Amino acid sequence: MSRLVYILNGPNLNLLGKRQPEIYGRATLADVEAECRALAGDLGLSLRFHQSNREYELIDWIHEAREDAGGIVINPAAFTHTSVAILDALNAFDGPVIELHISNVHKREPFRHHSFVSARADGVMAGFGTQGYGLALRRVAHLIDARAAHA
Ligand code: DHK
């Protein structure tokens, strides 16, 4: 199984570190990417790390992942709560998928409690701050290894 992992980030996450730091923290998306790249090296993974404010771009990257990736970590941000299209795209991907939210969405407004993506995710993380990215990457590496061992 491929050791390439896609880390996909949805709308407004380009403002990470600047928008509502009391909720999302002070680390920027560039900080998160640098941490993920260092960890990916340790785990023997290669990474594609993307962010978009456009739903179709996230869908196109999921389609691309179908061709060559072993796993996906996705923070769909607000699309979590609205996008059947992202769920459908993930349903067309075979490898492990981890859904990640920086904040604990269950402690927030009721409209953030429902996720379309959770119906596909192999694991869901919420409320670990930006540390969650590293944890999710470790989990994906484990799931890729487990699949390879059973192949
Ligand atoms: C990020 C967002 O932008 C929100 O729309 C989600 C998520 C929560 C997060 O915690 O990473 O509701």
Side-chain angles (χ1 to χ4, degrees), residues 49-61:
F49 191 102
H50 295 301
Q51 186 276 330
S52 182
N53 296 324
R54 300 171 187 86
E55 191 174 16
Y56 77 87
E57 275 191 312
L58 294 160
I59 292 165
D60 285 350
W61 285 322

Side-chain angles (χ1 to χ4, degrees), residues 44-102:
L45 300 172
S46 47
L47 269 198
R48 296 216 175 113
F49 191 102
H50 295 301
Q51 186 276 330
S52 182
N53 296 324
R54 300 171 187 86
E55 191 174 16
Y56 77 87
E57 275 191 312
L58 294 160
I59 292 165
D60 285 350
W61 285 322
I62 296 167
H63 291 177
E64 200 180 278
R66 267 170 59 82
E67 305 301 320
D68 57 0
I72 296 177
V73 174
I74 184 165
N75 182 348
F79 293 145
T80 306
H81 320 297
T82 62
S83 182
V84 175
I86 289 177
L87 170 64
D88 285 350
L90 290 169
N91 276 332
F93 177 76
D94 275 343
V97 173
I98 303 296
E99 173 185 349
L100 179 154
H101 309 286
I102 296 165

Side-chain angles (χ1 to χ4, degrees), residues 10-13 19 23-24 75-81 100-105 108-109 111-112 127 133:
N12 300 304
L13 289 169
R19 86 159 163 153
I23 295 177
Y24 298 107
N75 182 348
F79 293 145
T80 306
H81 320 297
L100 179 154
H101 309 286
I102 296 165
S103 64
N104 180 0
V105 283
R108 301 180 63 192
E109 304 94 320
F111 66 82
R112 295 184 203 275
Y133 284 84

Side-chain angles (χ1 to χ4, degrees), residues 126-145:
F128 289 81
T130 52
Q131 268 190 308
Y133 284 84
L135 299 170
L137 205 49
R138 284 182 191 280
R139 180 65 182 165
V140 162
H142 173 81
L143 293 172
I144 290 173
D145 288 344

Side-chain angles (χ1 to χ4, degrees), residues 112-123:
R112 295 184 203 275
H113 297 179
H114 178 260
S115 164
F116 283 97
V117 172
S118 295
R120 164 63 182 88
D122 298 291

